[in-house]
Structures are given as C-alpha cells and as structure tokens.
Amino acid sequence: MNQLFAAQSGFGKSYHSQAWMEANADAYEALIILDYCAEYRGLVKHGLADHWIVGDVETRIGPSDWRDVLEANPYIVLERHKQQVPTSDWQDVVTTIAQAIRSLDRDQLVVVDEAHFVAPQQAKLPEPIKELATTGRGAGTSSMWITQRLSEMDNTILTQCQARMLGGFE
C-alpha cells in the first residue's frame, strides 16, 4: 500500500508516521526510511532500525553498493547529513537508493520524509522515484510519503496513495 502523511509544520507528521512505522514494522521484511531532517532516530533508539548518515561519501555510492547496504541492513534509517548533502543533491541520492530498492525482491516499506524535495511538482520526476509509487506494490514494495507541502508534490505520487493521513490544513 502507498500512503501519504501530510500536515502543516507542528501538527505531528513525524510523531504519527513514526508511531505507524513502529506499529507495523513487523508486517514487512524490510523498512527503509529516507530521513531528510533527522526525525526518525526514535526507530533506532527503540531497536527497530539501524542508522546510517548519508554524507558526501555516500552520494557517490551506486545502486549496486546501496543494494548491498540494504540487504545487510533490512531495517534502516538513512539520514541526510545536512552540511554535506544539500537539498539540491538529496533527490539524486534518493533516486540512486530507489534504484537499489527496486532491485530487491522482498516485502518492504520505503518511507520518504519531506517528499516534496524528492518528488517536486515543478521538475521532471526521476523514473526510479516514479516506479516506487506506481509499480512498487506489484513487486512487494509499499511506500509512505511524508510532506508539509502538498501543493509542491508531484501529482503522480499523490494519486497513487491509497491511504492519507492529513492534518492542520485549512
């Protein structure tokens, strides 16, 4: 299933999405969190996931190397290093990781935090990102897209979400 967690800043997106992940992690063979703002360390603290910082070195890792990382660490939080990976490079990193994710044959949940940076409406959507939302379910991949800016997200992603948790919008 693909799902959307969207709310204005301060309305509990991170808290509620993390609670959902904690409650449902055992339903998946793998849980991959693409953490834009270091908000999902609670999953690591509670022993539900490993933790990696995605810094300058990791931006140069290719899909096959990411595949090895994800196979070795099926429950993992991949946290963006704010000083080494600017927002402008995060989409490229996530696209490469998405290629690796799509090559894995397992029942997995992929969580994309601040999804409007990864799947922006005003730019061409990279094919691996599009595939996560459009064909992932057939390959056993579910996704969760977390954002506070619905109007900035690509419609392809939004229309593929079967479940939506919305809060704080007027």
Side-chain angles (χ1 to χ4, degrees), residues 34 70 93-103 128-129 131-132:
L34 302 165
L70 298 173
V93 174
V94 171
T95 299
T96 302
I97 295 169
Q99 287 177 292
I101 290 167
R102 296 281 294 141
S103 72
I129 303 296
E131 289 173 350
L132 274 180

Side-chain angles (χ1 to χ4, degrees), residues 102-114:
R102 296 281 294 141
S103 72
L104 295 167
D105 184 23
R106 63 186 183 189
D107 189 22
Q108 57 192 340
L109 174 64
V110 179
V111 178
V112 182
D113 182 40
E114 300 294 345

Side-chain angles (χ1 to χ4, degrees), residues 2 95 98 102 118-119 124-136 143 145 154 156-157 160:
N2 294 331
T95 299
R102 296 281 294 141
V118 173
K124 181 168 174 27
L125 190 61
E127 199 61 29
I129 303 296
K130 182 178 180 180
E131 289 173 350
L132 274 180
T134 59
T135 62
S143 61
W145 305 85
D154 189 278
T156 301
I157 304 298
Q160 294 299 310

Side-chain angles (χ1 to χ4, degrees), residues 34-136:
L34 302 165
D35 188 358
Y36 179 81
C37 292
E39 295 182 293
Y40 298 96
R41 289 186 183 178
L43 294 164
V44 177
K45 182 179 176 182
H46 293 114
L48 293 174
D50 295 318
H51 184 252
W52 272 53
I53 299 287
V54 178
D56 184 55
V57 170
E58 289 78 13
T59 63
R60 297 185 295 260
I61 294 176
S64 64
D65 292 325
W66 276 116
R67 180 187 168 101
D68 293 343
V69 168
L70 298 173
E71 283 182 322
N73 304 280
Y75 292 82
I76 190 167
V77 175
L78 298 171
E79 177 186 323
R80 179 184 71 100
H81 189 291
K82 293 176 187 176
Q83 285 77 37
Q84 294 181 7
V85 182
T87 300
S88 58
D89 293 343
W90 184 238
Q91 182 188 50
D92 293 335
V93 174
V94 171
T95 299
T96 302
I97 295 169
Q99 287 177 292
I101 290 167
R102 296 281 294 141
S103 72
L104 295 167
D105 184 23
R106 63 186 183 189
D107 189 22
Q108 57 192 340
L109 174 64
V110 179
V111 178
V112 182
D113 182 40
E114 300 294 345
H116 55 279
F117 291 131
V118 173
Q121 176 132 202
Q122 299 302 322
K124 181 168 174 27
L125 190 61
E127 199 61 29
I129 303 296
K130 182 178 180 180
E131 289 173 350
L132 274 180
T134 59
T135 62

